[in-house]
Amino acid sequence: MIRLRNRQMNHELAPVPGGPPLRRDDYELKNTNPHLGGERLTSTYDLVEQTYHLYVRVVKAKELPLGVDPYVEVKLGNYRGRTNHFEKKTNPEWNQVFAFSKDRIQSSTLEVYVKDKEMFGRDDYIGRVVFDLNEIPTRVPPDSPLAAQWYRVEDLRGHGEIMLAVWMGTQADEAFPEAWHSDASFVHGEGVFNVRSKVYVSPKLWYLRVNIIEAQDVIPNDRMRVPEVSVKVEVGNQMLRTKITSSRTMNLVWNEDFMFVAAEPFEEHLVLTIEDRVHPSRDEVLGMLSLPLTIFEKRLDHRPVHSRWFNLERYGVGDMKFSSRVHVRACLEGGYHVLDESTLYISDQRPTAKQLWKQPCGILEVGILGAQGLLPMKMKDGRGSTDAYCVAKYGQKWVRTRTILDTLNPKWNEQYTWEVYDPCTVITLGVFDNCHLGAEKPGTERDSRIGKVRIRLSTLEAHRIYTHAYPLLVLHPSGVKKMGELQLAVRFTTLSLANMVYLYGHPLLPKMHYLNPLTVNQVDTLRYQAMNIVAARLGRAEPPLRKEVVEYMLDVDSHMWSMRRSKANFFRIMSLLSGLFSISKWFNNVREWKNPVTTVLVHILFLILLWYPELILPTICLYMFLIGLWNYRFRARHPPHMDPKLSWAEAVHPDELDEEFDTFPTSRPPDTVRMRYDRIRSIAGRIQTVVGDLATQGERFGSLLSWRDPRATSLFVVFSLCSAVVLYMTPFRVVALVTGLYMLRHPRFRSKLPSVPSNFFKRLPAKSDSLL
């Protein structure tokens, strides 16, 4: 019956045909052969293509003419970079670096001008310094930084000097991240900071456990009624409330636990407010307490924490100085890992307290080479354009590449490194279009998502460099769309084989998650709060990692209902069960003697294992060993990637996509909502029937000895007694032999009617009779 229901659901969830045909080749992982490391290999930049840049560091100037507002303009061919200007200053200091890509150099000389603010946009200047590019030295780390020198400016109406350092270097140079780049020459103002590469660190998150035990001497404002008192607990934007307690005495007891998320440095306070529900829509404050989080103990294990009494600030009427107090037990939990991402693709599993961290087991190195074939994300000067940058997140470390402007094939060639504490983790990389280049009004634009890639470290071979182009797939209301390809070079290096083997037998999360586990609702709520805190803190950095980027990387909407995801998960389950169905079908064919040779061989194997039962477990283990060796030839040669077929995104119905992109609460018309509700009711009805069938089978099994059916239980009890006597008197091999031969008997000795045990079991009662 259950298999019949599964087939019905399979038919219900079948894809709706329609839409243009999709090419599977566009969604596959592609091998690439980049020239990694360049001519001079370095230990830190050997996973990217080496690119050379001309660096100009403008440090300061001295003895400039009086009454000018000086700034420096660096000119190389058609590229011009400018520093900020200073008001009426003769000895300004800029300390700014300019980087010009060697591939775009169109001149043999570098010119550095000292200008006045009034000369902006004109060819006039105070003085200049000219460099021949053929005489500029080359520097590659780990060489020491090039010392800046004083240069006397030429053609000066007066006198003065400027301190400069000019050299040719690679993207491994320390000045590269903070430099002004020639490919962003038209970006000015606040947009300059938004195109730079940057490394971010997530704030250190703690779980705050608060136990509201009791309160004493709580005096209501209206003593003629029984107060309905509760405690509102707030930490920042997080708010929870105890149950309402009614008592004519002034002493109230709750003894309720609450969990919050707090981030270092602890800026928020724990605010307790005791309120009296005087009306369903109005509460009166009876007392308030604000406590800094720094006063609470940091607990590393599950040992008890001492409770404390705190006096409340009195609210109400009259001149009474009677003080109320509240009994609280609170601590900062350092033994948990604060989840800010889904456990399905978690990137860090360490507890909050650094004292509990283990030694790293490996090093992850990722070279973000570039992207190919990106789709235009916005219009610029009447044509499509994309200003792309890449964000990678693993553990507490976030990295952001520089923004490559106005190109559909950006080349970043930036390499980053992470320490790995557990191989069963996932690194996430996302590509975005920068919509904050200075021309837009603040807060009016959101960086558009181009695509995302996840790589599970446990699927990587150690010490091997993987160079692939990953498809960037995004689900739109019109369907799945390939936005381009992200080219990466990835290497996972293990430090200790023994430590790696130990980790595979170690719990996935810190031990506090198992000794004092959180409920499912707590995990979901706390994860949402943690994501908000991380997004807020990273949004305050410079340049900011914006909220829409953080939410996309952390999959903030992964818990929302989606018909497409439901189909994908259903067919994942069916794919797992297909193996069992195949084994059952094969065994039925053996029983039906469809292939006499196979049936005879099964009989022989059965007799051998029956005669030598000690060979059963070794045979199973040897069989799995041989299967593993055989499958080694067909092992995956590349990491897994986003699969639109597995995600059930290739033939999804447009209405299902519209439902997935709907807001919460819904913003669609009532007729559309009613239709979707009826559809969900239809599917839920089939699921309800399957669950009911499973419950019925279990209840029938339990009713064997419950005497709910006296005749059936009597028959089963007598049968059990007779079976016990027969099995005690008969050797086990004889019983197994008779049972096996009976099950494998020829079809001519088998009836087409159901067996006696099946008939007996289906007659047993279940609780379905008592359902309304």
Side-chain angles (χ1 to χ4, degrees):
M1 184 180 295
I2 296 175
R3 291 184 60 185
L4 178 60
R5 297 298 181 187
N6 287 337
R7 290 175 182 172
Q8 291 177 351
M9 291 184 65
N10 194 341
H11 178 72
E12 175 70 23
L13 298 178
V16 178
L22 302 174
R23 292 178 53 189
R24 292 290 303 166
D25 295 343
D26 292 339
Y27 300 146
E28 295 297 330
L29 207 63
K30 299 178 181 178
N31 287 316
T32 58
N33 296 300
H35 183 56
L36 303 181
E39 299 176 358
R40 178 175 178 179
L41 293 177
T42 62
S43 59
T44 57
Y45 262 71
D46 60 343
L47 292 183
V48 293
E49 296 177 344
Q50 196 173 71
T51 59
Y52 281 90
H53 300 265
L54 174 63
Y55 292 95
V56 181
R57 181 185 296 276
V58 180
V59 184
K60 57 185 176 180
K62 65 179 181 180
E63 301 177 359
L64 296 180
L66 297 175
V68 299
D69 301 332
Y71 72 93
V72 175
E73 180 179 279
V74 182
K75 179 183 178 183
L76 181 63
N78 295 327
Y79 295 104
R80 297 172 183 263
R82 289 183 289 271
T83 66
N84 297 326
H85 72 276
F86 289 93
E87 299 286 344
K88 306 296 186 294
K89 196 168 185 180
T90 59
N91 299 309
E93 294 187 9
W94 293 283
N95 197 27
Q96 186 172 345
V97 180
F98 299 85
F100 300 87
S101 175
K102 185 179 180 181
D103 297 337
R104 300 186 179 183
I105 292 180
Q106 303 172 352
S107 176
S108 60
T109 59
L110 170 70
E111 299 172 281
V112 181
Y113 294 92
V114 180
K115 292 188 174 184
D116 186 6
K117 180 184 177 183
E118 297 181 356
M119 302 177 182
F120 183 80
R122 297 185 297 173
D123 294 334
D124 296 339
Y125 55 88
I126 299 175
R128 71 171 183 171
V129 180
V130 181
F131 296 89
D132 187 352
L133 297 186
N134 296 323
E135 299 178 359
I136 292 178
T138 300
R139 172 189 177 262
V140 178
D143 296 348
S144 299
L146 193 67
Q149 301 180 30
W150 286 104
Y151 294 89
R152 190 165 190 84
V153 293
E154 302 173 0
D155 303 326
L156 180 68
R157 297 192 297 270
H159 60 279
E161 294 180 301
I162 184 171
M163 179 177 281
L164 302 171
V166 183
W167 72 95
M168 190 71 72
T170 67
Q171 73 268 42
D173 201 290
E174 296 87 351
F176 181 82
E178 299 295 332
W180 172 95
H181 290 271
S182 58
D183 51 12
S185 56
F186 63 86
V187 179
H188 302 287
E190 294 296 327
V192 174
F193 300 100
N194 290 320
V195 300
R196 292 176 176 173
S197 60
K198 188 66 68 174
V199 176
Y200 307 85
V201 178
S202 296
K204 189 175 184 180
L205 302 177
W206 293 76
Y207 282 145
L208 173 65
R209 186 185 297 273
V210 181
N211 179 217
I212 306 298
I213 304 174
E214 58 181 330
Q216 290 184 352
D217 303 329
V218 178
I219 304 176
N221 296 326
D222 184 4
R223 302 190 183 183
M224 301 301 295
R225 50 178 290 275
V226 178
E228 300 178 357
V229 184
S230 64
V231 180
K232 182 172 67 176
V233 188
E234 297 176 276
V235 177
N237 296 326
Q238 309 168 63
M239 190 273 289
L240 295 173
R241 186 185 295 271
T242 67
K243 64 179 183 295
I244 294 178
T245 299
S246 300
S247 176
R248 291 191 176 274
T249 65
M250 294 186 294
N251 301 328
L252 305 167
V253 178
W254 292 279
N255 196 24
E256 295 187 35
D257 260 344
F258 300 99
M259 294 288 286
F260 300 91
V261 179
E264 291 186 357
F266 299 119
E267 301 173 350
E268 296 86 4
H269 282 60
L270 172 64
V271 180
L272 306 179
T273 307
I274 298 182
E275 298 178 341
D276 181 13
R277 178 66 56 86
V278 297
H279 189 269
S281 60
R282 185 167 65 91
D283 295 328
E284 286 187 356
V285 178
L286 303 182
M288 180 177 287
L289 174 65
S290 180
L291 300 172
L293 302 185
T294 53
I295 69 172
F296 299 125
E297 178 183 357
K298 295 181 178 179
R299 185 172 70 167
L300 306 184
D301 49 23
H302 58 288
R303 59 183 174 82
V305 176
H306 297 292
S307 59
R308 299 168 63 180
W309 287 93
F310 296 96
N311 293 326
L312 297 173
E313 178 184 350
R314 172 65 183 164
Y315 280 74
V317 295
D319 298 330
M320 296 181 61
K321 300 299 182 180
F322 204 70
S323 177
S324 305
R325 61 177 187 166
V326 62
H327 195 191
V328 177
R329 179 184 294 108
C331 67
L332 292 164
E333 298 280 9
Y336 290 89
H337 170 71
V338 180
L339 297 168
D340 60 350
E341 53 194 347
S342 174
T343 54
L344 298 177
Y345 22 83
I346 192 171
S347 65
D348 189 14
Q349 301 163 349
R350 293 171 293 171
T352 299
K354 198 170 184 178
Q355 302 92 308
L356 303 178
W357 292 4
K358 306 294 184 182
Q359 292 296 321
C361 65
I363 300 295
L364 173 65
E365 300 165 279
V366 178
I368 305 175
L369 303 178
Q372 288 288 333
L374 298 182
L375 297 182
M377 301 300 296
K378 55 179 175 281
M379 298 301 295
K380 184 182 295 183
D381 299 331
R383 58 183 177 84
S385 175
T386 299
D387 305 317
Y389 66 93
C390 182
V391 176
K393 194 266 182 188
Y394 182 78
Q396 296 180 351
K397 179 179 176 181
W398 299 65
V399 300
R400 167 181 175 159
T401 67
R402 71 189 192 280
T403 301
I404 306 298
L405 302 179
D406 198 16
T407 178
L408 304 181
N409 301 295
K411 296 289 184 183
W412 294 292
N413 283 307
E414 299 182 24
Q415 183 172 337
Y416 299 95
T417 303
W418 288 267
E419 290 183 334
V420 177
Y421 291 85
D422 195 305
C424 301
T425 47
V426 177
I427 180 174
T428 304
L429 301 101
V431 181
F432 302 87
D433 177 50
N434 196 335
C435 297
H436 298 82
L437 299 179
E440 304 84 1
K441 295 181 180 179
T444 60
E445 294 290 338
R446 292 167 57 91
D447 288 351
S448 303
R449 57 184 69 171
I450 298 178
K452 181 166 56 179
V453 173
R454 297 193 196 100
I455 302 176
R456 183 169 292 274
L457 272 57
S458 59
T459 63
L460 304 178
E461 297 180 13
H463 310 286
R464 174 186 168 185
I465 298 178
Y466 291 84
T467 55
H468 294 96
Y470 295 80
L472 296 172
L473 306 178
V474 174
L475 197 65
H476 291 276
S478 58
V480 65
K481 182 181 294 185
K482 181 180 179 181
M483 307 296 291
E485 295 178 348
L486 178 62
Q487 297 178 347
L488 301 175
V490 182
R491 178 172 59 204
F492 176 44
T493 304
T494 57
L495 302 179
S496 172
L497 180 60
N499 190 21
M500 192 70 65
V501 173
Y502 165 76
L503 286 174
Y504 271 86
H506 198 69
L508 193 64
L509 294 172
K511 64 179 182 179
M512 282 298 294
H513 287 268
Y514 307 98
L515 298 178
N516 193 5
L518 305 175
T519 65
V520 176
N521 290 335
Q522 281 182 322
V523 170
D524 292 340
T525 303
L526 294 174
R527 181 196 167 202
Y528 179 76
Q529 299 296 341
M531 286 190 295
N532 287 337
I533 293 176
V534 171
R537 290 291 180 91
L538 295 181
R540 289 158 52 183
E542 188 64 43
L545 200 59
R546 304 188 183 277
K547 182 179 181 180
E548 61 269 18
V549 175
V550 176
E551 289 182 348
Y552 182 60
M553 297 291 289
L554 296 179
D555 288 281
V556 67
D557 56 349
S558 61
H559 65 288
M560 300 297 292
W561 160 258
S562 167
M563 179 69 74
R564 177 188 58 83
R565 291 198 192 103
S566 300
K567 290 181 180 179
N569 292 330
F570 173 78
F571 285 104
R572 286 172 60 196
I573 295 176
M574 295 304 298
S575 177
L576 292 176
L577 297 179
S578 63
L580 298 178
F581 295 154
S582 299
I583 294 175
S584 176
K585 183 178 179 180
W586 173 84
F587 185 71
N588 286 331
N589 291 337
V590 170
R591 293 180 58 200
E592 297 291 338
W593 288 72
K594 294 293 182 64
N595 189 338
V597 177
T598 303
T599 305
V600 171
L601 292 177
V602 170
H603 278 80
I604 296 174
L605 178 62
F606 171 70
L607 294 176
I608 293 175
L609 295 179
L610 182 62
W611 192 257
Y612 301 101
E614 64 274 9
L615 296 180
I616 295 178
L617 293 179
T619 301
I620 295 175
C621 295
L622 180 61
Y623 180 67
M624 291 188 292
F625 171 75
L626 294 176
I627 291 179
L629 287 184
W630 178 261
N631 289 339
Y632 181 78
R633 301 171 54 198
F634 311 103
R635 68 189 185 279
R637 303 289 180 172
H638 53 75
H641 62 286
M642 301 290 185
D643 189 348
K645 184 176 180 180
L646 179 66
S647 304
W648 207 253
E650 291 184 337
V652 61
H653 194 279
D655 183 72
E656 295 174 2
L657 279 177
D658 182 72
E659 181 183 19
E660 184 169 346
F661 283 92
D662 191 8
T663 58
F664 187 85
T666 181
S667 58
R668 298 298 185 263
D671 293 340
T672 302
V673 176
R674 184 180 298 108
M675 182 271 293
R676 293 172 180 172
Y677 175 68
D678 292 339
R679 181 176 60 197
I680 293 178
R681 288 181 63 190
S682 175
I683 297 174
R686 285 163 171 76
I687 298 175
Q688 170 184 285
T689 303
V690 173
V691 174
D693 291 343
L694 292 174
T696 298
Q697 307 305 325
E699 290 169 354
R700 284 174 177 171
F701 184 80
S703 63
L704 286 172
L705 297 174
S706 65
W707 294 94
R708 189 65 181 175
D709 184 344
R711 286 166 293 278
T713 303
S714 301
L715 291 173
F716 183 74
V717 168
V718 173
F719 173 77
S720 299
L721 178 61
C722 297
S723 299
V725 175
V726 172
L727 293 176
Y728 180 78
M729 301 295 295
T730 308
F732 176 76
R733 290 181 180 178
V734 175
V735 176
L737 177 63
V738 172
T739 303
L741 293 178
Y742 177 78
M743 294 183 63
L744 296 174
R745 68 192 185 277
H746 197 275
R748 69 177 59 184
F749 303 113
R750 186 182 295 119
S751 174
K752 294 183 178 181
L753 297 177
S755 62
V756 174
S758 177
N759 295 332
F760 179 80
F761 186 77
K762 290 180 180 179
R763 291 176 178 275
L764 293 174
K767 294 182 180 180
S768 56
D769 304 335
S770 302
L771 294 178
L772 292 176

